[in-house]
Amino acid sequence: MTTVENGSGAPALKGKRALVTGGSRGIGAAVVRQLLDAGAEVLATARSTAYTAPEGAAFVTADIRTEAGTQALAAAVRERLGGVDILVHNAGGARADEGASAMAISAGEWQDALDLNLMAAVRLNSLLVPAMRERGSGAIVHISTAALLPPVPAFAHYQASKAGLESYSRALAAELAPFGIRVNALGPGRTSTPGGEETRKRWARDDEASAATNTPPIGRDGQPDDIADAVLFLVSDRASWLTGAYLSVDGGEFPRN
Ligand SMILES: NC(=O)c1ccc[n+]([C@@H]2O[C@H](COP(=O)([O-])OP(=O)(O)OC[C@H]3O[C@@H](n4cnc5c(N)ncnc54)[C@H](OP(=O)(O)O)[C@@H]3O)[C@@H](O)[C@H]2O)c1
């Protein structure tokens, strides 16, 4: 992989401290690697204990669905990095039983989806952004999904929580822009990751035909680095006039307008 450089030849994110949630595999792991390549100091987090972070990155185990989990993570961030300049809210997903319907999603599944896909970002931002605001700079990326608009009854809780995340992201961007903090949302399309493959296998059992014809118009599924490339752009100074935006990175599969 090529090193990302700024105009003077130095790594573009040298001196920046970054937190990546869900950094142990899939899209998050690619974001961690690319941030390291760009010279950032990186802390990754996930629930798994059996994960070895790439050389140069720190790793903290946390379940960010709870208030206690996000507080422990924020404390670890302060202890290990002293604070953050870049926050990538990537951990996400939702359980859905085979053949489930929107009406059958239990209250517990709804709460889980909201806690992981929306409230984890809200809670972590409330703990970590005040220091960013005092410093007068920062970049936040909320990972949503490109597949927000086509109705998928079994994933109503997932889509609703990601819709909330995008709406929150826009509001936060407006509030934090005067403090030099940029906030953007990014929606991956079909990306080859453990979580993405597992979800699509469940959808395929429900609807073989549409799953088979769902190759994005660009002719292939995405790779984690396709998404990480776009995240790196959003957190870099090349995007210094970009805030409150939503970016689909989906091979053209889910046009929003
Ligand atoms: N892949 C796709 O096709 C696709 C499409 C649209 C949107 N997205 C979004 O992109 C993001 C990344 O997706 P992915 O496919 O890379 O997912 P993935 O392969 O399932 O990886 C998810 C990551 O999040 C961590 N995680 C899950 N629950 C957590 C929790 N409660 N607390 C802390 N960490 C947790 C996982 O580690 P542990 O399990 O060890 O905690 C793992 O590191 C998600 O927000 C997803 O909704 C993905």
Side-chain angles (χ1 to χ4, degrees):
M1 186 174 302
T2 51
T3 302
V4 185
E5 293 181 348
N6 65 15
S8 64
L13 299 177
K14 192 153 181 57
K16 302 287 186 195
R17 300 157 303 172
L19 171 67
V20 182
T21 67
S24 67
R25 60 173 190 257
I27 291 168
V31 172
V32 168
R33 282 195 310 273
Q34 289 209 21
L35 285 167
L36 287 170
D37 283 349
E41 209 179 332
V42 184
L43 180 72
T45 186
R47 288 166 304 175
S48 36
T49 48
Y51 164 74
T52 309
E55 202 183 324
F59 180 73
V60 167
T61 301
D63 185 341
I64 58 170
R65 282 172 303 183
T66 64
E67 181 90 52
T70 51
Q71 277 173 356
L73 177 58
V77 166
R78 291 188 196 106
E79 191 190 314
R80 303 275 192 105
L81 303 179
V84 278
D85 307 290
I86 295 169
L87 257 168
V88 182
H89 297 282
N90 164 75
R95 284 177 292 132
D97 293 331
E98 199 176 332
S101 70
M103 292 295 290
I105 298 168
S106 69
E109 286 169 338
W110 268 101
Q111 196 58 59
D112 256 15
L114 289 164
D115 281 334
L116 179 58
N117 296 299
L118 173 60
M119 290 312 295
V122 172
R123 289 177 175 135
L124 276 171
N125 286 337
S126 75
L127 292 162
L128 295 171
V129 169
M132 267 186 185
R133 204 168 41 196
E134 274 171 32
R135 285 194 304 279
S137 67
I140 299 170
V141 176
H142 295 115
I143 302 293
S144 178
T145 175
L148 197 68
L149 300 184
V152 185
F155 280 86
H157 52 341
Y158 175 70
Q159 291 182 306
S161 54
K162 293 291 198 184
L165 181 69
E166 287 185 27
S167 178
Y168 162 69
S169 188
R170 285 193 299 275
L172 197 67
E175 181 169 318
L176 296 178
F179 299 95
I181 302 170
R182 298 183 301 101
V183 186
N184 292 291
L186 183 157
R190 300 169 60 97
T191 310
S192 301
T193 67
E197 298 309 334
E198 194 192 313
T199 302
R200 280 185 289 278
K201 258 186 232 152
R202 266 180 274 147
W203 284 5
R205 274 199 295 271
D206 283 352
D207 186 351
E208 287 290 348
S210 76
T213 55
N214 264 354
T215 301
I218 212 153
R220 64 170 177 87
D221 285 358
Q223 294 302 317
D225 276 316
D226 290 316
I227 311 303
D229 284 339
V231 172
L232 265 278
F233 165 66
L234 288 175
V235 302
S236 77
D237 286 347
R238 292 191 175 190
S240 62
W241 211 49
L242 216 169
T243 195
Y246 163 79
L247 178 66
S248 281
V249 185
D250 66 350
E253 188 173 5
F254 299 104
R256 287 281 182 103
N257 44 45

